[in-house]
Each structure stands twice: as C-alpha cells, then as structure tokens.
Amino acid sequence: MTASSLLAEISDVGRDPKRGGYSRHAFDAAETDLRAWFVERAGRLGLGVETDRNGNIWAWWGTPGPDAVVTGSHLDSVPGGGAFDGPLGVASALDAVEILQAKGFRPVKPFAVVVFAEEEGGRFGVPCLGSRLLTGTIDADKARGLRDPDGVTFAEAAAKSGLDPERVGRDPERLGLIGRFLELHVEQGRGLIDLGSPVAVGNTVIAHGRWRFSFQGQGNHAGATLIGDRRDPMIPAAETVLAVRKLARATADARATVGRLVPVPGGTNVIASTVDLWLDARVPGTVTPELVAEIAKLAEEAAAQEGCRVEVTRESYSDDVIFDDALRRDLGTWLGAPPELPTGAGHDAAILAGFVPSGMLYVRNPTGISHSPEEFSEAEDVDHGARALANVLENLST
C-alpha cells in the first residue's frame, strides 16, 4: 500500500458536514476509529503496538530500546481541517516501513512509528498535548483539568479511553528511548510549488502561543436596554479583534489570529454577559509576548470604556525552534540537497527538539492552504515523500 492509498482508506472518517473537511479530535469517535485503523495497519506490518501513559501510540519494528529512530505525526485535526495535516505523516511512516521491508531491510537500531495525541488542541485547547505531556513541558495537573467545549475534562476523556489519568504526565523512560525523531508533514504555506521541489527539509519553527481573553459585562435584554445603559462585552471583544490585525501588521513578520469567539449565552436578542476569544500569535524571535502585551493593553482599555473587564490567560507558548543541525545536514545529503524551509506552524517535532535531535520533512502543497478543507497534495508528491522518508529512515537505522 502506498501512502496515498492509505490516506484514501480513511477518507470517510470524521467528515464534518457542517464545516466541510474533517473534525477529528482527541478520543472522540472519529479519532478513536483512526487509532484503531493505525493499530490494525501496524499489525499487518508485524509491528508491536503499545499505548503510553499519555495516549500516544507506539508501533515498534523489533524490540524497543534506547537510541531508537522514531518517526510519525498525529491523526487528530482542527475543526473542519484538511485530509493531510497529521495523517500524511502517519500514512507515510507506515508506507516507509513497508518499502523497507519489501527490500529486505531490517533496522540495526530500535525503530518505532508514533502517533501523538491531541496535536492540534482542537478538543482541549492546548496544541501538541501528547508530546508536551511526554516531555513534561505541561504540568500534569493542568492537563488533567483541561476542559472541552462540553465541559468534559481531559482526565475524564482519558479514563473513558482506557488510560489512567493519575499516570498522565512526564515520561522520562519513554522519552529516553528516542535517539532521533523525524516528522513528515504536508507543507503549510506556499513555498515548494515555486521552488519546483516535491520535498523540503524543515529548519525552524517560529515562536507561537495561544491566549484566552475573557470579557465580562452585564447580560441584558437587546430591545429593552438603551445603548447608554449597556455594559456589552461584545464591544471590547470586537475592538480587540480589530486591534489584533492592526498591531500584527505593524510588527515585522508577525502572524496573529482570532479564530474563535464565544459569547454567553449566545442569543440573538440577548446582550452577552461574557465573551471569550482566543488569540493565536506567532512572531520570530522574542517578540511574540511583547505583541500580546500590546493587544492585552488595548483590550483592557476597550473593556474599561464599556464598563466591562477582561482577564487574559496564556494557554500555551513555545519559543523559536531550530532543528538539529547535524540531522538537517544529513537529511540534505541523503535527499540530494532539497530546499530548506522555515514554518509558522507548530509540530510535535518542535516540542521534542528541546530534548532529542529532531527534524522535519515537508511535502509540497501547491495551494499553500492548510487547516482548511482545501488543503491538498498530489498523490505523486505524497508517495514521493514516503519514499524520501524511507530513504532517510534506512540511513538513520543502520
């Protein structure tokens, strides 16, 4: 089976009839089906499958051990996401194993394919949750208390899926097995189509984080309350959305987005009592917190003018990541000097890079669109990427 045909096998799982694309979130029905698919497919290849204490799935080729070569990605999506973000890396890893087995190769070093849990943060709000828990870069108590939009905690969802919530958290023994980690991912942005290459090597991930702005006002009747008598939290929330765009434009190479805004109670003829919005901010270097501080100051001023108040909470943050120099040079040598690309997208590889030598490969996305149903990669490029991954894994594993 090729990587493109493996993706075709799961093309009906988690389709979102409302948003379009796919909605596959940690431990929901769609993501659970995909996890079962991965276990079954890995079993066909003779891989030994286990789930770690944080819900990450490991498929071992041979006996687990230290200095392991590990590759993989994730199976969950953003709400209404595309078909490639996450599953491409998993399908390509399975294909790469089959390619190597077909030529009679057997790894000298321990070897595993991993599927990380809740990479997108689409259910519990924190991206790369599985790899953050593995590395201890998120507090276990905080993770257990995370809630989805329906009020279900991560601990409750984990328990329902068969995990022990009390064991969630840093896993130094598991982390210590990884000698090299490599993640293949669909390109998120437009670069390779203009460079004429189906594959690129990742070099950096820019600093990024998520912040929650919670505006509190006074809920009231939309028809009976005069404008001058209102404390409407939607007003400072709206002004903050506009300020995000204005301040990001004034900051070199900044990306700042409000993609989610939730008014409570959410009635058409009701002045909201609270409005929550989530800011995603990404700027190279050390500027991201400074940009967020400027946005927060304007949000506080706008809230005060409306007789409201605002609370700003940081939900996640990662500094710039530069992938391992030696691994990056090796990837370039083995693949014939493909282009190197930076990215503004976060990845599990970026979390692991602070602990083990890590790298990334990107597969061409001709539209540059991602986190959307229009995300795309040609089947020929998908399969080229899997072959490139097999080439690299063979070199790493000998």
Side-chain angles (χ1 to χ4, degrees), residues 126-145:
V126 176
C128 301
L129 186 57
S131 54
R132 288 181 192 273
L133 284 167
L134 170 68
T135 57
T137 50
I138 184 172
D139 178 74
D141 286 335
K142 177 182 177 180
R144 281 187 281 265

Side-chain angles (χ1 to χ4, degrees), residues 309-328:
R309 61 187 182 90
V310 60
E311 180 179 350
V312 181
T313 305
R314 189 181 79 178
E315 295 192 338
S316 66
Y317 178 72
S318 299
D319 286 322
D320 278 350
V321 172
I322 301 174
F323 290 117
D324 185 76
D325 286 339
L327 178 56
R328 200 167 72 242

Side-chain angles (χ1 to χ4, degrees), residues 94-112:
L94 292 172
D95 186 16
V97 171
E98 186 168 16
I99 290 170
L100 294 175
Q101 289 180 346
K103 63 186 292 186
F105 175 79
R106 292 295 180 268
V108 175
K109 295 181 179 180
F111 183 105

Side-chain angles (χ1 to χ4, degrees), residues 60-118:
W60 289 92
W61 187 359
T63 304
D67 198 28
V69 174
V70 181
T71 187
S73 193
H74 60 98
L75 291 169
D76 63 307
S77 75
V78 297
F84 299 88
D85 183 356
L88 174 61
V90 175
S92 297
L94 292 172
D95 186 16
V97 171
E98 186 168 16
I99 290 170
L100 294 175
Q101 289 180 346
K103 63 186 292 186
F105 175 79
R106 292 295 180 268
V108 175
K109 295 181 179 180
F111 183 105
V113 177
V114 64
V115 174
F116 284 108
E118 182 73 334

Side-chain angles (χ1 to χ4, degrees), residues 115-330:
V115 174
F116 284 108
E118 182 73 334
E119 193 271 352
E120 296 291 4
R123 181 172 183 185
F124 295 102
V126 176
C128 301
L129 186 57
S131 54
R132 288 181 192 273
L133 284 167
L134 170 68
T135 57
T137 50
I138 184 172
D139 178 74
D141 286 335
K142 177 182 177 180
R144 281 187 281 265
L146 295 171
R147 293 183 181 273
D148 70 9
D150 295 322
V152 178
T153 66
F154 177 74
E156 292 167 342
K160 188 175 180 180
S161 74
L163 301 176
D164 180 355
E166 293 305 312
R167 297 188 69 241
V168 163
R170 184 172 177 267
D171 191 348
E173 294 80 14
R174 176 78 52 174
L175 181 62
L177 296 179
I178 306 174
R180 299 286 188 279
F181 178 72
L182 182 64
E183 182 172 3
L184 179 145
H185 205 280
V186 69
E187 182 187 14
Q188 295 175 289
R190 180 183 173 92
L192 288 174
I193 189 67
D194 297 322
L195 295 171
S197 175
V199 172
V201 173
N203 52 23
T204 58
V205 176
I206 69 173
H208 63 282
R210 296 182 185 183
W211 288 260
R212 177 177 176 171
F213 287 61
S214 184
F215 296 88
Q216 291 94 40
Q218 176 61 62
N220 216 326
H221 194 290
T225 310
L226 298 176
I227 295 297
D229 294 335
R230 300 184 180 201
R231 293 192 291 119
D232 184 352
M234 186 63 78
I235 303 305
E239 292 181 9
T240 299
V241 173
L242 296 175
V244 166
R245 171 60 67 87
K246 180 179 179 180
L247 291 172
R249 275 183 170 162
T251 303
D253 205 22
R255 303 99 193 261
T257 307
V258 175
R260 182 180 173 208
L261 187 150
V262 179
V264 176
T268 303
N269 59 344
V270 180
I271 299 168
S273 57
T274 65
V275 175
D276 288 346
L277 64 81
W278 283 262
L279 168 68
D280 180 301
R282 310 174 189 229
V283 193
T286 60
V287 182
T288 304
E290 297 174 14
L291 173 62
V292 174
E294 289 185 69
I295 294 169
K297 180 180 178 181
L298 288 178
E300 291 168 358
E301 292 172 354
Q305 289 174 1
E306 182 67 17
C308 299
R309 61 187 182 90
V310 60
E311 180 179 350
V312 181
T313 305
R314 189 181 79 178
E315 295 192 338
S316 66
Y317 178 72
S318 299
D319 286 322
D320 278 350
V321 172
I322 301 174
F323 290 117
D324 185 76
D325 286 339
L327 178 56
R328 200 167 72 242
R329 287 194 299 270
D330 285 341

Side-chain angles (χ1 to χ4, degrees), residues 15-30:
R15 285 192 176 273
D16 191 323
K18 181 178 179 181
R19 300 181 180 94
Y22 298 89
S23 291
R24 303 156 164 169
H25 307 310
F27 307 133
D28 71 4

